[in-house]
Amino acid sequence: MDNTTLTGMKMMGTDATTIGDWDLWRGVTYLKRRIADSGLTFVSANVIESSTGELLVDPYVVIERGGLRFAITGVIQPNDRFRTHRDVDEVGVEFADPYESLKELLPTMRTESDFVILLAHTGFVNAEELVGRLGGVDFLVLGRHGQHVGNVREFHGAIFMEPGTKGQYLTDLRATFDDEGILTGYSGGTLTLGDKVPADASMALFVKEHKQAVEKLQKERLAAQADRRAEEQQTAQYTEDCIGVAESCERCHTDEYEQWKTTAHAHAYDTLESSHQATNPECLRCHVTCRMDLAQDGSEQVPDELRNVQCEACHGMGTEHARDGSYGQVTVATCLECHDEENSPDFDFATYLPKVTH
């Protein structure tokens, strides 16, 4: 988690957050500095700093809203597969059992509050089991699962929300209480933060400036690398699988090539540059040819000959070209690799295919 993310959360009025997998990307020392600088409240009942044996952050916080007290805690699912930056030797934290940690903590939280909110970075299956075994959780906000739930719902006595990942969705929960503080009802759902949702002007400017700064930094880093070393890396990683350069196909498929140049596919990389996302590995995988296992820190550059959604992106690698009719067939599955619900929620194969058919 970087300063920009934390600053953005602060701007949005976040009351509390918990620790997730990617927050430990640069190790515990880096995370502690970011937490201290941000002024945000982090809570976790089961993340323990290895060097001290103590909880890394407070186990819970109690906030008051409308005369009611809400105790907020969080847990993360233990595992040994946390990805870290190449410069980080050890994560620097250990993870206690979520159930045992909350079982000990919940009685105290219940006495100090009217309602308990659990931020569970555990995935759905683990969260459902956890809440079912524990009882006493009133609201559950789920992370790590990677999906989003359209409607707020309830299981094991807890009102359940799953807003999804990457800031693409927002869960809006409206709860009503009587004069005695008893929950009398709730409603809400998950909103897709697309073009139909107006952007906050100050936040939009903040995000744009961040993207520009990241793009500038990455370009400077790449420019500083020796040309020979960069060429060797690109050759080793890319040319074994893909021919690249749409013009390679033009020699035999002139009409198809000319039609392709009129499509959005031919300008897919340009859209990343215009939105300052040309160093974002997650975006690059669907805006270039031959989706590559790019480094998550944006330190690798896609060579010119593989930019945009070229022939091989849809028809398969040119090295596998066959003349028996088996090569190059485009199916729904071909398109859904990128035009999935998350990135292209309005995708319809019958509507989209004619736009790119040669």
Side-chain angles (χ1 to χ4, degrees):
M1 187 172 292
D2 58 23
N3 285 340
T4 302
T5 302
L6 296 176
T7 300
M9 292 172 67
K10 190 74 172 179
M11 291 170 64
M12 291 187 289
T14 302
D15 287 311
T17 187
T18 193
I19 297 172
D21 295 4
W22 283 102
D23 300 335
L24 297 163
W25 167 248
R26 289 187 177 272
V28 69
T29 302
Y30 176 87
L31 177 59
K32 288 174 65 177
R33 288 201 303 266
R34 298 288 75 79
I35 291 175
D37 293 342
S38 70
L40 279 174
T41 298
F42 276 74
V43 292
S44 179
N46 75 322
V47 179
I48 300 170
E49 189 171 3
S50 301
S51 62
T52 65
E54 302 291 333
L55 287 173
L56 180 61
V57 294
D58 290 337
Y60 67 94
V61 65
V62 178
I63 64 172
E64 185 174 333
R65 293 292 182 271
L68 297 174
R69 300 167 301 164
F70 296 85
I72 307 174
T73 187
V75 291
I76 188 171
Q77 187 67 26
N79 70 52
D80 57 359
R81 299 191 301 273
F82 286 103
R83 298 182 63 179
T84 59
H85 189 271
R86 59 178 177 270
D87 294 335
V88 177
D89 295 327
E90 295 181 1
V91 178
V93 295
E94 301 169 1
F95 307 98
D97 180 81
Y99 172 75
E100 295 297 333
S101 300
L102 291 174
K103 180 182 177 182
E104 181 178 345
L105 192 63
L106 271 175
T108 303
M109 294 176 62
R110 302 262 4 147
T111 61
E112 296 181 8
S113 67
D114 302 301
F115 297 93
V116 171
I117 301 173
L118 173 60
L119 311 177
H121 193 74
T122 60
F124 178 80
V125 174
N126 293 317
E128 184 177 28
E129 179 184 359
L130 184 62
V131 172
R133 292 178 64 191
L134 283 169
V137 174
D138 300 299
F139 299 93
L140 170 67
V141 182
L142 179 64
R144 195 192 231 181
H145 188 216
Q147 304 297 318
H148 72 279
V149 173
N151 297 316
V152 174
R153 59 188 186 184
E154 184 175 351
F155 63 78
H156 301 309
I159 298 173
F160 166 64
M161 294 159 277
E162 187 174 11
T165 61
K166 304 175 185 175
Q168 295 176 316
Y169 309 96
L170 177 69
T171 295
D172 179 22
L173 169 66
R174 307 297 175 96
T176 56
F177 306 87
D178 63 19
D179 293 338
E180 297 181 356
I182 305 299
L183 179 68
T184 57
Y186 64 89
S187 62
T190 299
L191 307 174
T192 300
L193 298 179
D195 296 336
K196 297 179 181 179
V197 179
D200 176 83
S202 60
M203 183 63 73
L205 177 60
F206 176 72
V207 172
K208 179 180 179 180
E209 291 175 343
H210 168 67
K211 289 179 178 179
Q212 290 174 331
V214 170
E215 183 180 52
K216 181 175 181 291
L217 180 63
Q218 299 294 14
K219 286 183 177 179
E220 290 174 350
R221 178 191 297 180
L222 291 168
Q225 296 177 356
D227 289 344
R228 181 175 179 179
R229 178 182 175 189
E231 290 175 1
E232 291 174 351
Q233 290 177 340
Q234 291 172 5
T235 300
Q237 183 166 356
Y238 304 119
T239 59
E240 290 181 3
D241 295 331
C242 301
I243 296 173
V245 186
E247 287 84 344
S248 298
C249 304
E250 184 207 0
R251 288 173 295 182
C252 296
H253 303 281
T254 304
D255 293 342
E256 289 83 354
Y257 174 70
E258 291 299 324
Q259 190 277 335
W260 169 82
K261 288 197 298 183
T262 68
T263 69
H265 281 172
H267 309 285
Y269 188 83
D270 295 340
T271 64
L272 295 187
E273 289 194 312
S274 62
S275 59
H276 309 289
Q277 293 284 52
T279 59
N280 186 334
E282 292 195 12
C283 297
L284 284 170
R285 290 191 178 90
C286 282
H287 286 253
V288 299
T289 300
C290 294
R291 288 171 293 279
M292 297 146 287
D293 187 17
L294 296 169
Q296 289 294 311
D297 59 4
S299 60
E300 297 175 49
Q301 186 176 27
V302 178
D304 293 345
E305 62 266 25
L306 291 178
R307 296 179 181 182
N308 299 315
V309 181
Q310 301 181 37
C311 309
E312 292 172 295
C314 300
H315 298 292
M317 294 182 294
T319 52
E320 297 179 357
H321 197 309
R323 302 185 185 279
D324 59 2
S326 64
Y327 174 80
Q329 296 179 357
V330 175
T331 66
V332 176
T334 306
C335 303
L336 289 178
E337 290 185 24
C338 286
H339 290 281
D340 54 19
E341 181 180 357
E342 180 177 338
N343 295 299
S344 187
D346 298 325
F347 175 75
D348 175 72
F349 184 70
T351 301
Y352 276 53
L353 186 62
K355 299 179 180 181
V356 295
T357 299
H358 318 304

